[in-house]
Amino acid sequence: MKLEFELWHLITLVISLIAAYAGLVKLLLWQFAREMRERIQASSDASSAGLQAIQRDSQKWHDLELRFYQLLADMPVTYVRREDWARGQGVLESKLDAIALEVKNIQIQGGRK
């Protein structure tokens, strides 16, 4: 069996093989570029979601800090310090003792008559 090629057959074969190889390379590069675009987009979406989460957390911390400062501002109005309560309680007890003494004096004076 003898196989014969003319020059233009060989040139056409070589050009066809080079074109097929170039097409395959172009296809692979196109798929690679598409995959990279998808990864970049996913990364961008993830980073923007992360940024939004950070902003939400920052807002929550800001709200918590604001509520804490409001609590600190309202505390002197709402709550009584221990020393203030002890002083007020002492005044009440001294008044009750004075009333008890008056009642006792009235009872003693009423018993003498």
Side-chain angles (χ1 to χ4, degrees):
M1 175 160 134
K2 191 175 187 187
L3 190 61
E4 292 183 20
F5 288 107
E6 291 186 22
L7 182 61
W8 69 273
H9 285 129
L10 289 176
I11 292 173
T12 307
L13 181 64
V14 169
I15 290 174
S16 298
L17 289 175
I18 290 174
Y21 181 73
L24 182 62
V25 168
K26 184 176 179 180
L27 177 67
L28 290 174
L29 287 175
W30 178 78
Q31 287 179 346
F32 178 74
R34 182 176 51 110
E35 180 68 27
M36 290 306 291
R37 278 194 302 271
E38 289 174 358
R39 285 186 182 187
I40 289 171
Q41 182 64 33
S43 174
S44 174
D45 292 345
S47 66
S48 87
L51 181 61
Q52 289 175 353
I54 289 172
Q55 288 174 344
R56 282 193 308 269
D57 288 346
S58 175
Q59 183 63 37
K60 286 179 183 178
W61 278 109
H62 177 71
D63 293 343
L64 181 65
E65 184 179 18
L66 183 63
R67 287 191 348 222
F68 177 70
Y69 285 137
Q70 287 174 347
L71 178 67
L72 286 179
D74 293 342
M75 196 175 286
V77 175
T78 307
Y79 298 102
V80 179
R81 291 180 57 170
R82 183 174 19 173
E83 294 87 12
D84 294 337
W85 182 82
R87 188 178 331 114
Q89 191 68 23
V91 169
L92 287 176
E93 288 177 2
S94 67
K95 287 181 181 181
L96 285 174
D97 288 342
I99 291 173
L101 186 62
E102 287 292 324
V103 169
K104 195 176 203 179
N105 285 339
I106 291 173
Q107 286 176 347
I108 290 175
Q109 289 175 358
R112 288 185 185 173
K113 289 184 181 181

